[in-house]
Every structure is written in C-alpha cells, then in structure tokens.
Amino acid sequence: MSTAFVTHPDCLRHDMGYGHPEQPARLEAVREKLIASQLYDLLQHYEAPKATREQLVRVHDPNYVDAITAAAPNHGLVQLDPDTAMNPHSYAASLRAAGALVLATELVCNGEVENAFCNVRPPGHHAEHNRAMGFCLFNNIAVGVAHALDLFGLQRVAIVDFDVHHGNGTEDIFTDESRVMLCSTFQHPFYPFSGADSASDRLVNVPLPGGSTGQRFRQMVQKKWLPALERFMPEMIFISAGFDAHVEDPLGGLMLNEADYAWVTEQVMAVARRFAAGRIVSTLEGGYDLSALGRSAAAHIRVLMGIN
C-alpha cells in the first residue's frame, strides 16, 4: 500500500509569534516521530505546489482571496482575528497548504498512490467562504474536495473531521453541496461554538462533552458516522486530522489517545475500501502538544500505510 507524504518548507516559515500554539515545530514533531518509527523512508514524498487562484475561488469568495493576498505584510505581523496572524511568509505557506491537498487529490485519483497525508500548516477547517479564523487562512481540505468534484467528476465525497474543534469553515462551505457529506466529532460547548444545532443527513455532527473518553468517541463514531457513510457510499474520503482531542493536548478537553486515532483511521479505511477503491486524502489540522501530536499522527499514518 503506497502513501504519499506531501509537505513544503514554506509551511515552516509561517509564524504567528512567540508562544502561539500553532507553531512551526508542529510539522517537525510529525516528521521526527515518523523517522523514529522507521516510517518516514517508506512514504512517497512530494513537495506541495502553490494553489492557484482558480482552485481557491472554488470554495472562497474571490474578494476574500484578494483580501488575504493584500494583507500579507512585508515585515512584522498582521492580525486577522485575535487568534490568527500573518507574517511575511504566511501567504506562501497558506498557498502551499491548500496546494498540498490539490496534489494529494490528483495523486490518489490518478491511482499513483492509494492514499495521502498532507503535513502542512496553517491548518484550514475553520476558514469559511469569506472569513479567516481559528489559525486558518484558506480551507485546505475544501480546496481538495472541490478539486475532486470539479476535475475528476466525483458525485459523492465524504469528509471526516475528528479535531477537538468543530470544522465550522468546512461546514459553511459545503452546507448546500449535495455531493459532500461531513462527519465530525468535536468538544461542545467549545470554540468555535457551532455545529451542535446544524446536523442534517449530510452534516453528521457529533458534539462531545468535555472529559469524553476514547470509548465514548468510538461509540459515537459507530453509532453516527459509520451508518451515515454506508448510506452515502462515498467515492472518496478526505480526513481533517486534528489531534488536539488527545488527553495531553493543552487546548482541548477530550481524552483520546493514539490508539483511538489508529482505530478511527481503520474504520474510515474500511469504508473507503468498500466504496471508494481505498481513496483517502488526510491533512493535518490541530494538535498542540508536540509529543502527543507526533505520536498520534504517526499512529494515523501507520494505519494509512497498512502497517500493523
């Protein structure tokens, strides 16, 4: 089983300031754990291209794309919201992060690899159609999904999101898109304080109270996600892989561990094998304890690679 690993050095140059939890070291934590686990050299390595304007405006307001382009500073930081800032390298990093999903989608849909993991930042699932927030500039996974729909003509694409925070941006972009199903678990009430009241047949939102264990998470995935995915029969699955629901994460209040991330990856892969010829693209979202992030991402990627 071949797994692509898509990243770019530009993603390390985006920096929102000293002490910010969404830091460049997050990508290094994933890479270093993959090396230590002897997985890194077994992956198929690709550098992310820059997403084009055409690819971005499939999911974002053109005026918003222009505003982000114009906001990029020549020096220092520009705050877009209280949590989200740009330095002189952030715009290039955000294009690479979205472009990684484009490349990964093409690699998987063209059969060059079975699945892919995008080790990129800034993350994306809070970025709405016309708004940056929650550390996110462009909605990377939405860009990839739209590419799959438009370029490859897919009619049923599923997104699963197990970040501790609700992917409000992804929901905002695809609420009215009948070809997309979004299955998400998230802590509630918790930032961004959305998702608990917007469920539908295609928006399978599963709010979890703070303190929920991996056992509770697994029960809800089995009860809510898996039957919905079976009914939808996705032709491809995208994963917003946020690892901040880990018990050691400083930003969240759920109690998942590496075994839970491996388990949910196995469940998603089983659905993908049944309906989607195994086609999965996963991308990094949250995860802010560096050790827990590295261990969790490695567990997730190991399962994608088919290594027990």
Side-chain angles (χ1 to χ4, degrees), residues 10 48 202:
D10 283 353
R202 290 185 303 98

Side-chain angles (χ1 to χ4, degrees), residues 24 56-57 116 134 173 211 282 301:
L56 295 173
V57 299
I173 289 167
S282 177
I301 293 167

Side-chain angles (χ1 to χ4, degrees), residues 61-294:
D61 186 314
N63 292 329
Y64 171 73
V65 174
D66 293 342
I68 292 294
T69 304
N74 293 320
H75 54 81
L77 289 176
V78 170
Q79 290 292 143
L80 302 180
D81 80 352
D83 302 312
T84 312
M86 297 178 71
N87 77 349
H89 308 291
S90 299
Y91 180 63
S94 66
L95 294 180
R96 298 288 185 185
L101 272 293
V102 171
L103 175 59
T105 299
E106 293 178 356
L107 291 170
V108 171
C109 288
N110 288 329
E112 296 179 53
V113 297
E114 184 166 12
N115 55 53
F117 181 80
C118 299
N119 194 40
V120 293
R121 52 183 294 279
H125 75 152
H126 293 308
E128 298 182 346
H129 177 65
N130 60 1
R131 180 186 180 193
M133 62 180 291
F135 313 162
C136 304
L137 303 182
F138 297 128
N139 195 305
N140 308 322
I141 204 162
V143 171
V145 169
H147 198 60
L149 296 173
D150 288 5
L151 190 67
F152 294 96
L154 300 187
Q155 295 301 306
R156 296 182 309 279
V157 175
I159 304 167
V160 300
D161 185 334
F162 47 73
D163 194 275
V164 79
H165 305 99
H166 176 237
N168 61 292
T170 309
E171 180 173 309
D172 173 68
I173 289 167
F174 291 123
T175 292
D176 298 321
E177 175 51 80
S178 63
R179 296 174 292 175
V180 178
M181 170 176 278
L182 173 61
C183 297
S184 61
T185 55
F186 50 92
Q187 183 177 336
H188 185 81
F190 200 48
Y191 181 89
F193 306 101
S194 60
D197 302 317
S198 56
S200 69
D201 289 344
R202 290 185 303 98
L203 299 176
V204 187
N205 291 334
V206 184
L208 299 171
S212 293
T213 63
Q215 180 181 11
R216 174 67 172 167
F217 167 74
R218 295 186 191 206
Q219 289 172 344
M220 297 311 292
V221 167
Q222 290 176 318
K223 181 179 179 180
K224 299 291 188 179
W225 282 16
L226 298 183
L229 289 167
E230 290 279 327
R231 292 192 298 270
F232 189 65
M233 297 187 293
E235 298 169 302
M236 187 170 182
I237 300 177
F238 287 75
I239 302 176
S240 271
F243 299 105
D244 42 7
H246 195 284
V247 64
E248 296 173 21
D249 196 274
L251 267 61
L254 300 182
M255 301 179 67
L256 275 60
N257 59 32
E258 300 93 298
D260 298 311
Y261 293 120
W263 176 86
V264 73
T265 308
E266 291 169 352
Q267 306 309 305
V268 173
M269 287 185 71
V271 175
R273 283 193 297 268
R274 182 171 177 186
F275 299 110
R279 296 186 295 195
I280 293 175
V281 170
S282 177
T283 189
L284 181 64
E285 298 284 3
Y288 304 102
D289 179 273
L290 296 180
S291 176
L293 169 60

